[in-house]
Amino acid sequence: MDYLYLIVGLALLLAGAEFLVDSSVAIAKRAKISNFIIGLTIVGMGTSAPELFVSISSAITGHGDIALGNVVGSNICNILLILGLTALIFPFNIADTNHKRDIPFCIFASLLVMLCVNDKWMGILQNTISRLDGIVFLLFFIAYMVYVIFGKAKNPQASMQEADEEATSRLEGKAPLLLWVVAAASLAALLFGGNLFLDAARNLARAWGMSEAVISITIVAVGTSLPELITSIVAATKHNTQLALGNIIGSCVFNLLAILGISATISPMVINDINIVDFLVMLLAAVMTYLVTYTFGKKRFDRIEGAIFLAVYVAYTAYLLMR
């Protein structure tokens, strides 16, 4: 039955995320929000909703390794697997603001979380994410989003130059009340699906003799990252690369600062099995994204780099399974 619950929970997560994104994009377009902002905020946060509900549920029930492993694994999956596949399908340029502001901030967020979680480096016996850590993460997240949105609003011409095709939604033109009803129903599906998926994954982890850390970084992380994968690949096939890149950057920052911030503020977490290798791979993935702007085609994510990203992801997954 756990396998069935895993599939049903994942299906609810995917359906909930898809309709949440569609309704959010439709609502955002009514307000004439720019394409990259939609990808960075509405779509990025919407596709990260599964990670949000899984991590909050895990933190509340005392499973800190799943809460953190879900975030770390999702970011590794987002960058190495999803950006890698996106570049293989359709190589894309990286805008100056992505290179100078958004990607460096993602690196900073990765480093901040790694330093805050590893309390043992400071002689403390147990690694934790405290309520204070959570509040600090949330403050940085709010400051970043305010800065990004204010910057785009202040310079709309730059926003238009960086945008490619407009984000689309099957719900465009629908009544505002219907859009909000769909968004609310999608959130309900995400909440229920996240709990169902979490319980099944935890039971399977015990049955397979795997630690919760490994199962969260692999099965749970990839499962909850499927909305980002689907959204980015579809965007790439439509040459809507700003939406794809904004989706991944927004999801990674949201995962690290908002999800961990909310989870730890609600219920501080004890971390046991997420080790330094996991954090270093997450940090490496963010740094590799920055280095892409200097290698091969400058400020361009090409197929060779996409293949390298995928190879690193496969190697890391093999390491996890052996661990």
Side-chain angles (χ1 to χ4, degrees):
M1 290 300 293
D2 284 323
Y3 288 99
L4 177 61
Y5 293 149
L6 195 72
I7 294 172
V8 172
L10 183 57
L12 287 171
L13 284 169
L14 291 174
E18 182 176 354
F19 282 101
L20 178 62
V21 169
D22 272 350
S23 58
S24 298
V25 168
I27 293 169
K29 285 177 75 65
R30 281 182 172 271
K32 297 182 179 180
I33 299 174
S34 69
N35 197 32
F36 183 81
I37 292 295
I38 291 176
L40 187 70
T41 57
I42 305 297
V43 178
M45 294 180 192
T47 55
S48 285
E51 286 96 330
L52 174 63
F53 289 116
V54 168
S55 291
I56 289 178
S57 298
S58 302
I60 291 174
T61 55
H63 295 274
D65 281 332
I66 286 186
L68 179 60
N70 175 41
V71 167
V72 172
S74 291
N75 276 24
I76 292 171
C77 179
N78 285 347
I79 296 176
L80 296 181
L81 175 61
I82 298 176
L83 275 186
L85 282 175
T86 302
L88 280 176
I89 294 170
F90 185 76
F92 57 89
N93 295 325
I94 298 177
D96 283 340
T97 51
N98 302 148
H99 165 67
K100 295 177 180 179
R101 181 196 63 201
D102 303 312
I103 298 174
F105 187 81
C106 187
I107 295 173
F108 164 76
S110 301
L111 187 61
L112 175 67
V113 170
M114 182 175 71
L115 293 176
C116 287
V117 170
N118 287 280
D119 297 323
K120 290 183 179 179
W121 293 352
M122 296 181 289
I124 300 174
L125 295 178
Q126 183 67 60
N127 287 336
T128 61
I129 305 180
S130 67
R131 186 168 280 113
L132 178 60
D133 291 333
I135 293 172
V136 170
F137 294 164
L138 286 175
L139 289 176
F140 272 114
F141 176 74
I142 293 170
Y144 171 68
M145 296 311 298
V146 168
Y147 177 74
V148 168
I149 295 172
F150 176 78
K152 290 292 181 180
K154 188 176 181 180
N155 192 1
Q157 185 62 35
S159 174
M160 292 303 296
Q161 290 174 352
E162 291 176 7
D164 31 36
E165 297 180 15
E166 286 296 317
T168 59
S169 167
R170 73 186 73 179
L171 298 176
E172 283 184 47
K174 302 295 183 182
L177 178 60
L178 176 62
L179 295 178
W180 287 109
V181 169
V182 171
S186 300
L187 285 172
L190 285 167
L191 180 58
F192 181 73
N195 284 329
L196 199 63
F197 189 89
L198 171 64
D199 290 339
R202 191 162 56 239
N203 291 337
L204 289 173
R206 287 194 291 264
W208 295 342
M210 298 171 67
S211 70
E212 288 189 343
V214 172
I215 202 70
S216 65
I217 293 176
T218 53
I219 294 177
V220 176
V222 173
T224 56
S225 291
L226 285 176
E228 286 93 336
L229 176 62
I230 295 168
T231 301
S232 295
I233 289 178
V234 169
T237 58
K238 295 180 179 180
H239 296 193
N240 196 342
T241 54
Q242 282 297 301
L243 178 62
L245 183 60
N247 174 35
I248 296 303
I249 295 175
S251 293
C252 288
V253 172
F254 186 76
N255 288 348
L256 287 167
L257 300 181
I259 291 179
L260 286 181
I262 294 170
S263 300
T265 301
I266 293 173
S267 179
M269 293 175 278
V270 174
I271 309 301
N272 295 308
D273 295 326
I274 308 296
N275 67 30
I276 186 60
V277 174
D278 304 317
F279 288 109
L280 289 177
V281 172
M282 179 181 70
L283 182 61
L284 172 66
V287 172
M288 286 173 63
T289 308
Y290 183 78
L291 293 178
V292 160
T293 59
Y294 294 104
T295 58
F296 299 102
K298 289 187 176 181
K299 294 185 180 178
R300 182 172 177 81
F301 205 142
D302 59 27
R303 288 189 174 90
I304 295 176
E305 290 155 335
I308 292 172
F309 274 47
L310 288 174
V312 173
Y313 181 76
V314 170
Y316 174 64
T317 303
Y319 157 77
L320 282 178
L321 295 176
M322 288 186 294
R323 188 173 85 188

